[in-house]
Amino acid sequence: MIKMNFKLSTAELKKMQSSADEACQLLKVLSNRDRLMLLCEMSQGEKCVGELEAALNLHQPSLSQQLTVLRKHKIVKTRRDGKQIYYSIASQGVVAIIALLYKQYCKR
């Protein structure tokens, strides 16, 4: 095995630090059971609030609170159809993370 010694440039280091900060922020948001369950349900497709409430047995105001956190961090997006608001995952990166977590923890 060849060991290479190299040092990151200041610009590369700043970019790496910025990326790590973004990843840390996302992981903080994901480190909540209710939010993970909501994202897992949404990974199966767009869901309205009533569907999420029924599927996960989450009730107001907890459901609204967790959806607000996910919206604030731009992890989910919304679509209104009449009186219904539909939620879906806004990022393919988050879809990939949820799929990995599902594979590791839900398919046992």
Side-chain angles (χ1 to χ4, degrees), residues 3-88:
K3 189 174 184 180
M4 299 177 69
N5 291 327
F6 66 91
K7 191 173 183 176
L8 294 173
S9 71
T10 302
E12 291 170 324
L13 180 58
K14 286 185 186 251
K15 185 175 180 182
M16 183 183 271
Q17 289 169 334
S18 177
S19 294
D21 288 342
E22 285 182 47
C24 286
Q25 184 61 42
L26 175 62
L27 291 172
K28 284 179 187 176
V29 174
L30 295 181
S31 68
N32 175 282
R33 182 184 66 191
D34 291 342
R35 289 192 290 264
L36 276 176
M37 290 174 24
L38 285 164
L39 290 168
C40 187
E41 192 65 24
M42 283 182 245
S43 73
Q44 305 304 304
E46 184 180 67
K47 305 284 180 182
C48 71
V49 174
E51 291 171 317
L52 293 169
E53 187 174 20
L56 302 174
N57 199 29
L58 290 175
H59 303 288
Q60 301 290 346
S62 181
L63 177 62
S64 290
Q65 186 177 41
Q66 300 312 326
L67 289 170
T68 297
V69 171
L70 294 171
R71 275 194 323 267
K72 176 184 166 194
H73 291 282
K74 296 180 173 69
I75 293 172
V76 298
K77 58 186 175 183
T78 61
R79 177 181 68 83
R80 181 179 288 277
D81 185 13
K83 292 183 179 185
Q84 294 289 340
I85 297 176
Y86 290 87
Y87 287 83
S88 60

Side-chain angles (χ1 to χ4, degrees), residues 100-108:
L100 177 63
L101 290 172
Y102 182 85
K103 182 178 177 184
Q104 289 296 309
Y105 294 102
C106 298
K107 281 200 141 188
R108 291 187 174 183

